[in-house]
Amino acid sequence: MKLSRVVARAGKLSRPFRVTNGRRFRLTDVDPGDALDFGGKDKSRAVEELAQQVEALSQLQERLYAQDRWALLAVIQAMDAAGKDGAIKHVMSGVNPQGCQVFSFKVPNSEELDHDYLWRCVRCLPERGRIGIFNRSYYEEVLVVRVHPELLERQKLPAAVRGRNLFQERFEDIRHFEHHLARNGTAICKFFLHMSKEEQKKRFLARLEEPEKQWKFSAVDVRERRYWNQYMHAYEDAIRSTATAHAPWYVVPADHKWFTRLVVSSAIIDTLAGLDLRYPEPPPSAKRELQAAKEELMKRRT
Ligand code: ATP
Ligand code: MG
């Protein structure tokens, strides 16, 4: 399929889930079981479309790399078992590994805790010409840390900067940080894979029952379910406070994994297509050199 058609379709599939103005957003606006016109069952058609998108993404990434001006940062956030890893694996399956970097952010270690909370993420930002994926990110600082404020104790913050508005201040810092990145040529898209609590229960049970999935099971994850409502509130507030035109959130229905992957891939394609990527034109002097090199090669028999 022609790139322009895949791009147009990617816009249609991703924009219904894009939030560019946080103030109007409510989490209840998005149904985790939504699958647009796929009707919830039409998996094979979605898989076919994803294959076309993987091809399109590979073409766009080559241009991004050759042009070497823009970078793309994709931030992926979700509750456990919402399908972050699978989405990254499938969506990026066709891109040249040289042009793509994936970083996972876990509980901060002692070196990381000796710095401000953005530090470890800043070190991993994508270079120009690359796609960088953050599997979790600085958003954990307004999500898990908000749900478990005792985590702040480990952060060694001086008492004078640990005011009552700490999380509001973090939102402000994140907005400024993302604005700074955007102004310097990093396109940003942020994903919340929005899964229902019932679906998470099903997936945890599957992890317990199927031997190949047991390695993924963690008792801690099950305990976190007790805080589900607090997490949802933290997610909603984070999205409301940080969704902007230059760093939009995509709140992606995540009860059907095949649909989640299609929307994530669509959003990345839509973002890249908005950058007007093109192969650099060689300057006239280089054109003359290319012509001379060609003539030189043609002149000789071997
Ligand atoms: P998976 O479970 O699919 O392998 P994951 O991203 O859940 O992937 P884990 O190692 O299970 O990886 O979990 C990482 C944990 O680190 C999460 O519980 C997350 O909330 C926590 N985490 C990440 N960043 C921070 C942070 N800044 N402060 C405290 N906890 C954090
Ligand atoms: Mg986990």
Side-chain angles (χ1 to χ4, degrees):
M1 198 191 271
K2 266 186 72 181
L3 183 61
S4 58
R5 286 190 58 193
V6 180
V7 166
R9 177 82 178 136
K12 282 214 176 91
L13 286 168
S14 60
R15 289 189 195 171
F17 306 108
R18 185 175 67 178
V19 186
T20 53
N21 179 349
R23 265 173 302 157
R24 290 200 218 112
F25 175 73
R26 291 271 176 258
L27 202 50
T28 45
D29 295 345
V30 183
D31 169 9
D34 191 5
L36 291 177
D37 56 341
F38 287 93
K41 292 254 182 301
D42 205 353
K43 185 174 163 179
S44 60
R45 191 157 58 88
V47 170
E48 238 169 71
E49 278 209 41
L50 183 60
Q52 290 164 355
Q53 291 201 348
V54 165
E55 173 60 35
L57 191 54
S58 151
Q59 291 178 30
L60 288 166
Q61 188 227 357
E62 271 185 36
R63 289 185 204 176
L64 178 82
Y65 190 83
Q67 192 187 36
D68 201 21
R69 292 291 179 273
W70 292 95
L72 179 96
L73 172 65
V75 168
I76 307 195
Q77 289 288 156
M79 297 296 282
D80 276 299
K84 284 185 283 118
D85 293 1
I88 295 168
K89 183 168 114 186
H90 282 83
V91 171
M92 302 315 283
S93 59
V95 305
N96 179 349
Q98 292 216 69
C100 178
Q101 302 148 325
V102 184
F103 294 97
S104 301
F105 295 97
K106 316 259 179 190
V107 178
N109 63 27
S110 60
E111 188 193 14
E112 290 165 347
L113 289 170
D114 266 341
H115 293 269
D116 74 280
Y117 69 90
L118 287 176
W119 179 79
R120 64 175 181 162
C121 295
V122 171
R123 300 172 94 201
C124 300
L125 286 170
E127 300 152 50
R128 295 191 198 283
R130 313 282 165 111
I131 296 177
I133 298 191
F134 282 2
N135 181 350
R136 303 189 187 274
S137 65
Y138 44 89
Y139 278 99
E140 292 291 324
E141 294 289 337
V142 291
L143 296 166
V144 68
V145 178
R146 199 168 184 192
V147 174
H148 297 286
E150 66 276 11
L151 289 171
L152 275 177
E153 300 304 327
R154 301 181 60 230
Q155 298 196 354
K156 303 207 253 174
L157 293 168
V161 301
R162 264 191 66 174
R164 283 192 12 200
N165 295 326
L166 184 113
F167 292 107
Q168 295 309 318
E169 287 166 6
R170 286 191 171 182
F171 288 146
E172 196 183 319
D173 294 338
I174 289 173
R175 280 197 304 270
H176 288 159
F177 172 60
E178 290 176 346
H179 204 172
H180 160 75
L181 293 180
R183 283 175 164 155
N184 284 276
T186 297
I188 304 167
C189 41
K190 304 175 292 193
F191 298 95
F192 170 43
L193 310 189
H194 183 28
M195 164 191 58
S196 65
K197 197 176 176 192
E198 299 74 52
E199 181 63 25
Q200 192 198 45
K201 183 174 173 179
K202 270 195 225 159
R203 292 183 190 178
F204 280 165
L205 288 172
R207 283 181 184 183
L208 285 169
E209 274 151 30
E210 294 170 39
E212 322 81 81
K213 288 189 177 169
Q214 275 166 6
W215 67 274
K216 277 210 152 204
F217 180 78
S218 147
V220 179
D221 294 351
V222 172
R223 253 182 280 139
E224 281 308 280
R225 280 169 63 78
R226 293 183 201 154
Y227 302 95
W228 187 272
N229 292 343
Q230 287 96 313
Y231 271 109
M232 290 307 113
H233 174 260
Y235 266 106
E236 184 176 74
D237 204 22
I239 294 164
R240 285 174 60 86
S241 306
T242 61
T244 59
H246 56 264
W249 274 101
Y250 290 84
V251 181
V252 184
D255 280 3
H256 302 292
K257 287 183 180 174
W258 46 268
F259 186 68
T260 310
R261 291 166 191 169
L262 194 59
V263 175
V264 171
S265 144
S266 296
I268 294 177
I269 288 176
D270 196 38
T271 307
L272 287 175
L275 301 181
D276 191 27
L277 303 173
R278 55 184 86 226
Y279 288 104
E281 268 285 308
S285 60
K287 276 190 186 156
R288 280 194 298 277
E289 267 173 39
L290 292 177
Q291 186 56 33
K294 190 171 166 191
E295 282 164 17
E296 168 82 19
L297 285 168
M298 303 296 283
K299 244 193 323 212
R300 309 191 190 276
R301 267 197 290 134
T302 55

